[in-house]
């Protein structure tokens, strides 16, 4: 809902700024962001489909690798595009990480790289082949179709750079129960966003437990 309202707001703003409207109707209206509805992420099983796919086209392989790197590093596309080899640091315990300020917000983050991200970075000698945002999202649609990534209704999933960041956030919350540390890793400033990820994670846990429960176990529990 908030996405549609923001589009309408942008249209009215354009009309006001170009003199077609005498006043801006949204000047006193604040649109509440619906984080939960906007958050879409990939499961480990879906990511495995991408990792195990052998792409004949070099271009698609590079896009798939960059997308997977995002999923295992949490970087937004603009931050990914501005990475340089010197940004990759190695901690005393051997973990690779990236410590910078998010270009979008200026908030400092410390991205702890999962092993999958490290492998991709090493493959490209820490010089990731990032394409333009438009080309990137265009190629992601091809990758989703080639890898047969579908939702519960059988529709091909629309891969986006935001989905990669959300996927990493889910992994972080799964591995880091400390919410303050998770906020630092993700570069978040609003605790409400973290609460949304926590709710999604809780729902995922209960869904998985319910899926493996057999009919016999259900009957025993009812009795």
């Amino acid at each position: 809902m908030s996405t549609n309202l923001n589009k309408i707001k942008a249209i009215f703003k354009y009309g006001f700024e170009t003199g077609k409207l005498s006043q801006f109707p949204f000047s006193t209206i604040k649109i509440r962001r619906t984080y939960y509805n906007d958050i879409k992420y990939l499961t480990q099983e879906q990511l495995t489909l991408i990792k195990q796919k052998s792409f004949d086209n070099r271009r698609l392989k590079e896009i798939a690798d960059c997308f997977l790197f995002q999923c295992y590093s949490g970087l937004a596309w603009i931050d990914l595009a501005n990475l340089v080899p010197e940004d990759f640091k190695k901690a005393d315990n051997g973990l690779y990480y990236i410590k910078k300020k998010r270009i979008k917000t200026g908030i400092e983050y410390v991205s702890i790289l999962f092993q999958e991200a490290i492998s991709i970075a090493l493959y490209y000698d820490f010089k990731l082949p990032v394409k333009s945002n438009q080309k990137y999202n265009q190629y992601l649609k091809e990758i989703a179709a080639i890898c047969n990534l579908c939702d519960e209704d059988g529709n091909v999933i629309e891969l986006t750079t935001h989905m990669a960041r959300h996927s990493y956030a889910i992994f972080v919350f799964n591995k880091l129960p400390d919410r303050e540390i998770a906020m630092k890793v993700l570069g978040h400033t609003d605790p409400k966003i973290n609460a949304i990820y926590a709710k999604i994670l809780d729902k995922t846990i209960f869904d998985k437990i319910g899926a493996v429960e057999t009919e016999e176990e259900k009957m025993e529990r009812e009795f």
Side-chain angles (χ1 to χ4, degrees):
M1 176 64 76
S2 64
T3 301
N4 293 331
L5 287 175
N6 279 320
K7 290 180 180 178
I8 295 173
K9 180 179 178 179
I11 294 173
F12 277 108
K13 184 178 180 182
Y14 174 79
F16 176 69
E17 292 178 345
T18 55
K20 294 180 174 60
L21 294 176
S22 59
Q23 57 182 344
F24 180 45
F26 282 84
S27 60
T28 59
I29 300 175
K30 184 176 181 180
I31 300 174
R32 183 180 179 183
R33 296 181 66 181
T34 52
Y35 295 114
Y36 185 81
N37 292 332
D38 292 337
I39 293 178
K40 296 176 182 177
Y41 63 97
L42 296 177
T43 64
Q44 286 287 3
E45 291 77 11
Q46 291 168 327
L47 288 174
T48 298
L49 289 176
I50 302 176
K51 286 191 291 183
Q52 293 182 346
K53 187 67 178 179
S54 178
F55 295 97
D56 297 329
N57 190 306
R58 175 71 181 181
R59 173 201 62 187
L60 290 179
K61 172 177 170 47
E62 291 178 346
I63 293 295
D65 285 343
C66 285
F67 180 77
L68 289 171
F69 181 86
Q70 279 190 278
C71 290
Y72 293 114
S73 69
L75 268 63
W77 174 84
I78 188 64
D79 296 314
L80 177 70
N82 283 273
L83 274 185
V84 294
E86 293 74 26
D87 291 329
F88 292 86
K89 311 295 184 183
K90 193 172 185 180
D92 293 337
N93 62 0
L95 287 177
Y96 278 90
Y97 68 95
I98 298 170
K99 184 178 181 180
K100 295 185 71 175
K101 288 185 178 180
R102 291 192 65 197
I103 294 177
K104 179 181 178 181
T105 63
I107 303 299
E108 186 176 77
Y109 68 89
V110 181
S111 172
I112 308 300
L113 305 183
F114 292 144
Q115 184 57 52
E116 292 86 346
I118 298 171
S119 298
I120 293 171
L122 289 172
Y123 178 80
Y124 290 101
D125 196 23
F126 298 102
K127 300 174 184 176
L128 296 171
V130 185
K131 311 298 182 185
S132 69
N133 194 29
Q134 182 179 1
K135 290 288 185 181
Y136 194 69
N137 284 305
Q138 178 183 335
Y139 297 152
L140 284 178
K141 292 180 181 179
E142 293 184 48
I143 291 171
I146 293 174
C147 296
N148 195 30
L149 296 176
C150 299
D151 57 23
E152 296 177 353
D153 298 323
N155 302 313
V156 176
I157 295 174
E158 182 179 354
L159 292 184
T160 65
T161 57
H162 294 300
M163 187 178 291
R165 181 166 165 77
H166 295 326
S167 299
Y168 177 78
I170 294 298
F171 302 153
V172 167
F173 276 100
N174 191 28
K175 297 176 181 293
L176 296 176
D178 190 315
R179 300 299 183 239
E180 290 188 7
I181 296 179
M183 286 184 68
K184 182 67 174 179
V185 169
L186 295 167
H188 285 166
T189 57
D190 188 353
K192 293 180 181 179
I193 302 179
N194 282 14
I196 294 299
Y197 282 119
K199 288 181 181 178
I200 292 176
L201 181 59
D202 288 343
K203 182 180 184 304
T204 302
I205 291 173
F206 284 115
D207 286 348
K208 286 189 175 182
I209 292 176
V212 299
E213 189 177 43
T214 65
E215 291 297 323
E216 182 178 351
E217 289 171 333
K218 289 182 180 179
M219 292 179 63
E220 290 178 356
R221 186 179 62 192
E222 290 174 356
F223 284 104

